[in-house]
Amino acid sequence: MAEARSAPTVGQIVLGLRLRDLRERAGHSFTDAAYALSVNTTTVRRMEKAEVGLKPPYVEKLLRMYGLSDEETASFLALVDEANRPGWWHSFRDVLPPWFSLYVSLEGEASLIRAYEPHCVPGLLQTEEYARALLRTGFPSAEEEELDRRVQLRMGRQRLLQDPDAPVLWAVLDEQVLRRHVGSPSVMRGQIDRLIELSRQQNITLQIIPFTAGAHPGMFGPFQLFRFEIPELPDIVYTESLTGATYLDERPDTAAYLEVLDRMGAQAAPVPHTESVLGEIRKEF
């Protein structure tokens, strides 16, 4: 019926939501859809949640059942074909954890990315040298070839910040991110120079929470919030652990994280001060 996979793309998530909406608008139940495809209701639910891949013949049968015209069906099937194409990151699946592939897809489709990072410079803002030093620590037994692949993946993700339709990135960093030595002093100087350069970019806002700000509401750990221009997609919050990740899209959850981001932004040094804060810390390396 459908292909199981580790993580869907954003396109597959959107199409699953659209299938659910079409089914409900047509007044059909899960049982109706399952009967039409000769499958159980669990399979239909998983299709709508993008937990399995969408195969055009079965999608077409559902669209006909839901009353779409030939033209509408053809347009939808074209979107299915596009959504099923592997993203550029698919070629890095040897070093890309299954639970992180959805993150890369969300990152690429977001119109706004808000992030809090208490430990290290966010991946989208890292220099190649900083990324390599950080990854070498995280994967101490990795061969140089594997490290090269991981660095290439991280650098590839950064291309989206230079796109004509680049997302807005607003990152709040703890001061300790900048004072924690990753690599040599020259690596740290280069990384801070990079942050200064990026902070001047129109679509990027950086804020630093100084030690003197005291306790703040984000001290539980790093997270990212994605917002999209795609109507079907709600805000999505990403949190990570050593061996996996959690994606939250329920409104009470995302609203709580958004409130925390706003409160931390108020405690952080004002945006116009970011460059001077970075410059002062740079002098210490």
Side-chain angles (χ1 to χ4, degrees), residues 213-279:
H216 61 76
M219 294 174 65
F220 51 84
F223 62 92
Q224 290 79 36
L225 182 145
F226 300 103
R227 179 165 290 171
F228 310 89
E229 293 183 351
I230 304 169
E232 293 89 346
L233 282 182
D235 289 351
I236 297 177
V237 168
Y238 170 90
T239 63
E240 186 176 307
S241 64
L242 180 63
T243 57
T246 300
Y247 295 87
L248 305 171
D249 64 1
E250 295 295 331
R251 178 60 182 167
D253 294 326
T254 58
Y257 278 90
L258 191 59
E259 180 184 353
V260 165
L261 282 166
D262 288 341
R263 290 171 62 190
M264 284 192 295
Q267 282 187 254
V271 175
H273 296 178
T274 294
E275 186 169 336
S276 62
V277 172
L278 291 171

Side-chain angles (χ1 to χ4, degrees), residues 2-241:
E3 297 177 354
R5 64 201 183 289
S6 57
T9 64
V10 169
Q12 290 165 335
I13 293 173
V14 171
L15 293 180
L17 293 171
R18 289 180 182 174
L19 279 176
R20 182 192 66 187
D21 184 60
L22 288 168
R23 176 181 56 78
E24 292 176 346
R25 286 171 179 253
H28 289 294
S29 65
F30 285 117
T31 302
D32 296 334
Y35 181 80
L37 298 178
S38 300
V39 298
N40 57 40
T41 56
T42 299
T43 299
V44 177
R45 292 177 187 272
R46 295 186 70 199
M47 289 175 64
E48 293 182 358
K49 292 181 178 180
E51 293 175 353
V52 292
L54 297 175
K55 289 196 172 181
Y58 297 95
V59 173
E60 182 175 6
K61 186 174 289 188
L62 289 177
L63 297 177
R64 300 295 186 191
M65 178 184 179
Y66 300 157
L68 270 68
S69 67
D70 290 346
E71 184 177 353
E72 291 170 328
T73 298
S75 296
F76 196 104
L77 291 174
L79 293 175
V80 170
D81 181 63
E82 181 179 348
N84 285 340
R85 294 174 189 165
W88 65 266
W89 58 89
H90 184 71
S91 62
F92 289 92
R93 59 190 180 279
D94 56 318
V95 293
L96 183 65
W99 45 265
F100 194 67
S101 61
L102 175 57
Y103 179 98
V104 180
S105 183
L106 293 171
E107 188 176 67
E109 294 292 336
S111 59
L112 170 66
I113 302 171
R114 294 190 65 179
Y116 165 62
E117 180 54 68
H119 303 310
C120 59
V121 173
L124 286 179
L125 306 177
Q126 293 174 9
T127 64
E128 184 173 338
E129 294 76 16
Y130 183 98
R132 185 176 297 278
L134 196 63
L135 289 165
R136 182 173 284 113
T137 300
F139 301 91
S141 60
E143 300 289 341
E144 283 301 312
E145 182 179 356
E146 180 185 336
L147 282 177
D148 287 343
R149 295 277 293 158
R150 293 185 182 278
V151 172
Q152 289 168 16
L153 171 61
R154 191 157 297 183
M155 296 300 104
R157 288 169 49 207
Q158 296 181 5
R159 289 195 296 266
L160 70 89
L161 292 178
Q162 309 304 325
D163 288 345
D165 57 348
V168 171
L169 172 63
W170 182 359
V172 178
L173 313 182
D174 261 325
E175 182 178 341
Q176 66 181 345
V177 169
L178 305 169
R179 297 192 180 278
R180 176 174 285 113
H181 291 229
V182 176
S184 67
S186 66
V187 169
M188 290 303 300
R189 288 194 296 271
Q191 179 60 74
I192 293 176
D193 286 342
R194 177 64 172 156
L195 291 176
I196 292 173
E197 175 189 347
L198 289 170
S199 71
R200 298 168 180 166
Q201 196 164 309
Q202 188 173 7
N203 62 313
I204 296 176
T205 298
L206 297 181
Q207 284 188 276
I208 313 300
I209 299 183
F211 291 138
T212 54
H216 61 76
M219 294 174 65
F220 51 84
F223 62 92
Q224 290 79 36
L225 182 145
F226 300 103
R227 179 165 290 171
F228 310 89
E229 293 183 351
I230 304 169
E232 293 89 346
L233 282 182
D235 289 351
I236 297 177
V237 168
Y238 170 90
T239 63
E240 186 176 307
S241 64

